[in-house]
Amino acid sequence: MGSMSLWEYANPKKFLTTSERILPFFWAAAAVCLVVGLIWGFFFTPDDFRQGSTVKIIYLHVPSAMMAINIWVMMLVTSLIWIVRRHHVSALAARAAAPIGIVMTLIALATGAIWGQPMWGTWWAWDPRLTSFLILFLFYLGYVALWEAIENPDTAADLTSVLCLVGSVFAILSRYAVLFWNQGLHQGASLSLDKEENVADVFYYPLLVCIAGFVFLFIALVLYRTGTEIRARRIRALATRTRAQA
Amino acid sequence: MMPDLGKYADAVLSAYAASIVLLVVLVVMTVLRGRKVRAEMARIEEQRSKNG
């Protein structure tokens, strides 16, 4: 009896048929969690005693910042799989994820600035976490630009994988900068295994629903976009073959 | 129904507006490009099957 293996999905056809079957679930789960989480957070949670109504920004800022870092980690894993096993679907999944990472980083930076202005009195500070996040954003842009700049898809996958490895330093710094330097304006983790550090329950539960919504949205988007990249690669390969035959 | 956001109303509403616009643009662009590539793929496959 043949056992199921994760590597089966390295086959583009298998990936496309499976992802098309499960995509409706992830789109629906993303829509439900985002609508429920954001409405709960915006309309049905109280103001914070220090931060007033700005605490409502947490439902966008924390999930987008978490996704910005975790998407880079996902790209790192898929890039390493490409480097080691040369599975095209893996490299294309990393390529497909990067623009989602750009948008998540942009939302985290924008909501952070909008939140920071009334709370810290400034839109921006060269704080360790904020600075490493800005550098992560620049790495995302560079990563996408590198894919676009190189014609040969295998060379592009190789070079972007190396760039992804280097950028991982900043993804990790974005997460742990507060611990490394213990300075700057930005607070520590909003969610942590240490209950003492967590935000209060009244904010915590809608925040969890929003995080689930962002995760489901990312999964739906990355599956859909990887499918698009697989088809685009096939179109390019066919065009090259046709040109060679002509 | 609308909660009283007090003096921070501009900050909260602009954070929500900016984020929702960015997410909607991302989803719409993803689906539009997906449909375009899928249509192109179907056109090429059809042409190939015609040419044998």
Side-chain angles (χ1 to χ4, degrees), chain A:
Chain A
M1 197 181 81
S3 63
M4 280 290 286
S5 155
L6 190 65
W7 302 118
E8 277 185 41
Y9 300 101
N11 177 322
K13 233 178 195 149
K14 173 83 182 164
F15 180 91
L16 286 177
T17 49
T18 308
S19 65
E20 274 182 20
R21 220 176 42 237
I22 59 176
L23 256 172
F25 164 77
F26 286 109
W27 284 124
V32 169
C33 289
L34 284 175
V35 169
V36 169
L38 290 177
I39 288 178
W40 185 358
F42 187 86
F43 290 98
F44 303 107
T45 56
D47 289 356
D48 180 69
F49 73 98
R50 267 179 309 197
Q51 306 194 42
S53 62
T54 62
V55 72
K56 294 182 193 296
I57 299 174
I58 201 173
Y59 307 110
L60 295 161
H61 181 71
V62 169
S64 58
M66 284 175 78
M67 291 315 296
I69 297 168
N70 290 324
I71 289 171
W72 194 275
V73 174
M74 172 261 171
M75 287 162 56
L76 172 67
V77 172
T78 48
S79 297
L80 287 173
I81 294 172
W82 161 254
I83 291 171
V84 176
R85 299 190 67 137
R86 314 303 283 178
H87 291 318
H88 288 110
V89 171
S90 190
L92 294 176
R95 181 181 191 177
I100 313 170
I102 289 181
V103 172
M104 292 299 167
T105 317
L106 206 53
I107 292 175
L109 286 169
T111 53
I114 292 168
W115 199 353
Q117 212 289 324
M119 290 302 106
W120 301 336
T122 179
W123 300 97
W124 180 261
W126 295 101
D127 158 288
R129 180 173 268 191
L130 272 65
T131 307
S132 52
F133 231 90
L134 180 65
I135 296 172
L136 179 65
F137 178 64
L138 297 176
F139 262 94
Y140 267 122
L141 293 182
Y143 180 91
V144 170
L146 194 56
W147 264 109
E148 297 297 328
I150 299 167
E151 190 131 341
N152 182 305
D154 286 5
T155 312
D158 284 339
L159 294 179
T160 52
S161 295
V162 174
L163 183 68
C164 189
L165 277 169
V166 178
S168 299
V169 175
F170 291 95
I172 293 164
L173 275 183
S174 308
R175 174 71 184 79
Y176 296 106
V178 179
L179 302 179
F180 288 158
W181 284 290
N182 199 26
Q183 64 175 43
L185 289 170
H186 202 289
Q187 65 177 64
S190 302
L191 297 178
S192 145
L193 291 175
D194 179 359
K195 194 72 181 145
E196 289 295 303
E197 275 190 31
N198 272 337
V199 294
D201 281 355
V202 68
F203 306 119
Y204 182 77
Y205 295 116
L207 179 57
L208 282 186
V209 178
C210 288
I211 290 170
F214 271 77
V215 171
F216 287 132
L217 180 65
F218 168 68
I219 295 172
L221 283 168
V222 83
L223 288 175
Y224 189 93
R225 296 178 67 96
T226 306
T228 303
E229 294 299 339
I230 289 170
R231 291 188 182 95
R233 186 177 184 277
R234 171 112 177 108
I235 291 170
R236 276 194 300 271
L238 288 173
T240 309
R241 200 183 301 169
T242 311
R243 270 201 305 272
Q245 283 168 352

Side-chain angles (χ1 to χ4, degrees), chain B residues 31-49:
Chain B
V31 172
L32 285 181
R33 177 160 182 262
R35 284 187 180 171
K36 193 177 148 199
V37 169
R38 205 182 277 243
E40 174 78 358
M41 186 80 216
R43 193 185 60 77
I44 292 174
E45 297 284 5
E46 195 185 296
Q47 213 165 34
R48 276 165 58 86
S49 65

